[in-house]
Amino acid sequence: MDTVLRSPQQTVLIGPNRPFVVIGERINPTGRKALAAEMAAGDFSRVIADALAQVQAGAHVLDVNSGVPLTDEAEIMAEAIRLVQATVDVPVCIDSSVVAALAAGLKAATGKPLVNSVTGEEERLEAVLPLVAERGAAVIAISNDETGISYDPRERFRIAKKIVERAESYGIPRQDVLIDPLAMPVGAVQGAGNHLFQIVRMVREELGCNTICGASNISFGLPNRKTLNATFVAMAIAAGLPCAITNPLEPEIMAAIRAADVMMGYDDNCAAWIMSQRQAAASGAAPTGAGDERTSRRAAREARRGQ
Amino acid sequence: MDTVLRSPQQTVLIGPNRPFVVIGERINPTGRKALAAEMAAGDFSRVIADALAQVQAGAHVLDVNSGVPLTDEAEIMAEAIRLVQATVDVPVCIDSSVVAALAAGLKAATGKPLVNSVTGEEERLEAVLPLVAERGAAVIAISNDETGISYDPRERFRIAKKIVERAESYGIPRQDVLIDPLAMPVGAVQGAGNHLFQIVRMVREELGCNTICGASNISFGLPNRKTLNATFVAMAIAAGLPCAITNPLEPEIMAAIRAADVMMGYDDNCAAWIMSQRQAAASGAAPTGAGDERTSRRAAREARRGQ
């Protein structure tokens, strides 16, 4: 069962037996001081540059987070969404912990956006789901609730199930709910990767829902996070994960995703793989994907200059 | 259920929920002209160097192939096995299509070796299984037979089951049979990776056997084979593959295997991962694993010099 997202002219399908969908994570002021200051001051040039660079690097959807403290997040979200969708023709993922910002983003977005996110907490369910239903959007359901994040995969599955059922009671079909099973750091929770793979399989088989996750948290605190993240995403794809919020400017991640699509048979005649390798070779880089990074960085620089 | 291999002083356990076991593939004259000429002339210095370098790079078992055309393969195998086990304390995998060479290798080997391989062909079953049973060795069962290699995962599973049952009739317990589901090239057979992942799961769940595979054939004919092979191994580990015959001198492969062990919870406290990254950093290389390569190359050079 596919989750359908739309931009003004593009349709993105997220589902079993389809090429993996990359949701670019870069437009997020959390931990990016310069970006946060610019967004607070109404300067969205870096947002536009990040949008261009991520789509050029292979992102199919862009996450837009408006989390700048002590600002009107709703206003920032609306402006960022408008500018992103005026720059690149991809669906957006409206990312905020502030309900008013989600509402403003939903109003500003064109096509069918994704809302990031709702949890199993009563207050969030009641605040977010009506907005999603009214707009006919899709929503990310994070499998924690008032009691916290359980280490037990079955408990996280139970919360996912609760959110799906509640969403249906608001008229949101289950294919519009993407379950985020929550990737815990493997450095803190031994076997956290395997727990996530299990939940991904259970959600598909028992709930018939698609899953999503952030692909960076898993490696928190460990050395060589790039290789850990890339390996994690490939293994999650083997378990049935159809999309992730990640950094498309990271060539190791993108190479692993494209290679995993080849392994699963999602890349017809390996055409996308061969093209990505040709582009890397043409940019004069090593064939491991370093070329993608160079291309993306150049694109980002050019975009920042306003090209 | 663990498959147990032994060298004079080491025991290697292959099985579910254990760290992935790497069987070094380098001691193989196929496609290595210099090595083939040296082995034919009775010069095993490169065999010894390859043994040292692979174990230093992280191999737990060494495959020894004696396939030099127009020679006495049995004699070459016996000598190679003796020299390898006099150099490094790891179990060996005796690799030949010549039954007399397998017999000679079994006689020369110390500990409990692995035989590579038997197929579902009647003639091979009858020739190889008695040797394996008599020596109390383990054996790789390749899931093809007289009719060829089926594209249908269920058909390959059926042949695997037949070999396991035949082995048991010779007194070889099923934990001593490692099923090789055969990785077809994804460039030729779309979705070949996913087929293999399915068979790995079926063999574990329905036969209770461990699996093994070569990790290089999958990428045949495609660009950037290293990344494809590394991604493939990680995904196969997620599906339950406990060991593979591969090249430990390839840092991308080893990094993916170590990262996959972390994700599955097989690397206690991520200790092996952190140590491998420290070693890479200490050798002055980038943390992506390039350091491993340098270390291994240096080891190989030193070993060739007779150190």
Side-chain angles (χ1 to χ4, degrees):
Chain A
M1 215 160 40
D2 291 329
T3 304
V4 181
L5 302 180
R6 283 191 215 91
S7 62
Q9 298 188 48
Q10 305 276 344
T11 297
V12 172
L13 301 176
I14 297 169
N17 306 316
R18 294 199 175 276
F20 194 76
V21 170
V22 172
I23 302 174
E25 72 181 9
R26 292 293 294 156
I27 303 176
N28 189 334
T30 316
R32 295 182 73 192
K33 277 189 188 172
L35 178 64
E38 288 165 11
M39 286 171 88
D43 172 5
F44 290 85
S45 55
R46 200 184 297 258
V47 169
I48 292 171
D50 284 345
L52 280 167
Q54 290 184 97
V55 170
Q56 185 158 351
H60 307 96
V61 177
L62 292 180
D63 188 88
V64 177
N65 181 299
S66 58
V68 185
L70 306 174
T71 59
D72 182 344
E73 273 207 39
E75 195 186 329
I76 289 180
M77 179 65 88
E79 185 64 5
I81 293 283
R82 264 192 296 270
L83 286 169
V84 165
Q85 289 204 305
T87 306
V88 285
D89 186 20
V90 297
V92 285
C93 175
I94 303 160
D95 181 4
S96 179
S97 55
V98 176
V99 175
L102 296 179
L106 280 166
K107 205 170 161 196
T110 310
K112 182 181 171 190
L114 179 61
V115 170
N116 187 2
S117 57
V118 70
T119 66
E121 295 160 292
E122 275 305 318
E123 200 189 335
R124 298 293 296 178
L125 290 165
E126 286 170 24
V128 175
L129 292 179
L131 293 175
V132 173
E134 192 192 355
R135 178 63 169 74
V139 64
I140 296 175
I142 300 189
S143 53
N144 70 322
D145 65 8
E146 291 85 355
T147 65
I149 301 172
S150 175
Y151 280 8
D152 177 1
R154 287 238 56 113
E155 175 60 17
R156 277 190 263 162
F157 175 80
R158 191 192 62 72
I159 295 171
K161 188 157 181 280
K162 179 181 95 171
I163 303 175
V164 169
E165 285 164 0
R166 188 69 66 87
E168 286 186 326
S169 80
Y170 280 96
I172 303 165
R174 63 179 59 205
Q175 65 265 32
D176 280 340
V177 182
L178 289 171
I179 306 294
D180 183 342
L182 281 170
M184 308 285 281
V186 281
V189 182
Q190 181 136 346
N194 197 24
H195 296 165
L196 184 130
F197 309 148
Q198 286 171 28
I199 305 176
V200 164
R201 245 183 238 118
M202 279 161 61
V203 165
R204 173 171 290 185
E205 286 166 12
E206 298 177 34
L207 281 186
C209 278
N210 292 315
T211 46
I212 186 169
C213 75
S216 311
N217 195 40
I218 195 88
S219 62
F220 183 79
L222 289 172
N224 191 2
R225 297 186 63 176
K226 286 185 211 178
T227 299
L228 290 171
N229 293 345
T231 304
F232 167 72
V233 171
M235 295 172 85
I237 292 173
L241 187 80
C243 65
I245 300 182
T246 188
N247 183 359
L249 304 183
E250 182 49 69
E252 268 197 78
I253 294 269
M254 290 304 282
I257 287 170
R258 289 179 176 128
D261 271 351
V262 168
M263 293 305 149
M264 297 300 284
Y266 303 161
D267 180 359
D268 281 345
N269 301 313
C270 308
W273 176 257
I274 291 167
M275 190 185 297
S276 73
Q277 297 304 313
R278 275 199 195 127
Q279 287 171 354
S283 76
T288 51
D292 298 342
E293 188 176 39
R294 212 172 291 181
T295 310
S296 312
R297 283 193 186 147
R298 194 188 310 134
R301 272 200 310 274
E302 284 168 3
R304 267 181 230 122
R305 285 193 213 108
Q307 294 183 17
Chain B
M1 216 160 37
D2 290 331
T3 304
V4 181
L5 303 179
R6 281 191 215 91
S7 62
Q9 299 187 48
Q10 304 277 342
T11 297
V12 172
L13 300 176
I14 298 169
N17 305 317
R18 294 199 175 276
F20 194 76
V21 170
V22 172
I23 303 175
E25 72 181 9
R26 293 292 294 156
I27 304 177
N28 189 334
T30 316
R32 295 182 74 191
K33 278 189 188 171
L35 179 63
E38 287 165 11
M39 286 171 89
D43 171 7
F44 290 84
S45 55
R46 200 185 297 259
V47 169
I48 293 171
D50 283 345
L52 280 167
Q54 290 184 95
V55 170
Q56 185 157 354
H60 308 96
V61 178
L62 292 181
D63 188 87
V64 178
N65 181 298
S66 58
V68 186
L70 307 173
T71 59
D72 183 344
E73 273 206 39
E75 197 186 326
I76 289 181
M77 179 65 88
E79 184 65 5
I81 293 284
R82 265 191 297 271
L83 286 169
V84 164
Q85 288 203 306
T87 305
V88 285
D89 186 21
V90 297
V92 285
C93 175
I94 302 162
D95 181 4
S96 179
S97 56
V98 176
V99 175
L102 297 180
L106 281 167
K107 206 171 159 195
T110 310
K112 181 180 172 190
L114 178 61
V115 170
N116 186 3
S117 58
V118 69
T119 65
E121 297 162 290
E122 276 306 319
E123 199 189 336
R124 298 293 297 179
L125 290 166
E126 285 170 24
V128 175
L129 292 180
L131 294 174
V132 174
E134 192 192 354
R135 178 64 169 76
V139 65
I140 297 175
I142 300 189
S143 55
N144 70 320
D145 65 8
E146 292 85 354
T147 64
I149 301 171
S150 175
Y151 281 6
D152 177 0
R154 285 235 60 111
E155 173 61 16
R156 278 190 263 163
F157 175 81
R158 193 192 62 73
I159 296 171
K161 189 159 182 277
K162 179 180 96 171
I163 303 175
V164 169
E165 285 164 1
R166 189 67 67 87
E168 285 186 326
S169 79
Y170 281 96
I172 303 166
R174 64 179 57 206
Q175 64 265 33
D176 280 341
V177 182
L178 289 171
I179 306 294
D180 183 342
L182 282 170
M184 309 285 281
V186 281
V189 182
Q190 179 135 350
N194 198 23
H195 296 164
L196 185 130
F197 309 148
Q198 286 171 27
I199 305 176
V200 164
R201 244 182 240 120
M202 279 161 62
V203 165
R204 172 170 291 184
E205 287 167 12
E206 297 178 35
L207 282 186
C209 278
N210 292 314
T211 46
I212 187 170
C213 75
S216 310
N217 195 41
I218 195 90
S219 61
F220 183 78
L222 290 172
N224 192 1
R225 296 185 62 177
K226 286 185 212 178
T227 299
L228 290 171
N229 293 346
T231 304
F232 167 72
V233 172
M235 295 171 86
I237 292 172
L241 188 80
C243 66
I245 300 182
T246 188
N247 185 359
L249 305 183
E250 182 51 70
E252 268 196 77
I253 294 270
M254 290 304 282
I257 287 170
R258 289 180 177 127
D261 271 351
V262 168
M263 293 305 148
M264 297 299 285
Y266 302 160
D267 180 0
D268 280 345
N269 301 313
C270 308
W273 176 257
I274 291 167
M275 189 185 296
S276 73
Q277 297 303 314
R278 275 198 195 128
Q279 287 171 354
S283 75
T288 51
D292 298 342
E293 188 174 39
R294 212 171 290 181
T295 310
S296 312
R297 283 192 186 147
R298 194 190 307 135
R301 272 200 311 274
E302 283 166 4
R304 267 181 229 121
R305 284 191 213 110
Q307 294 182 15

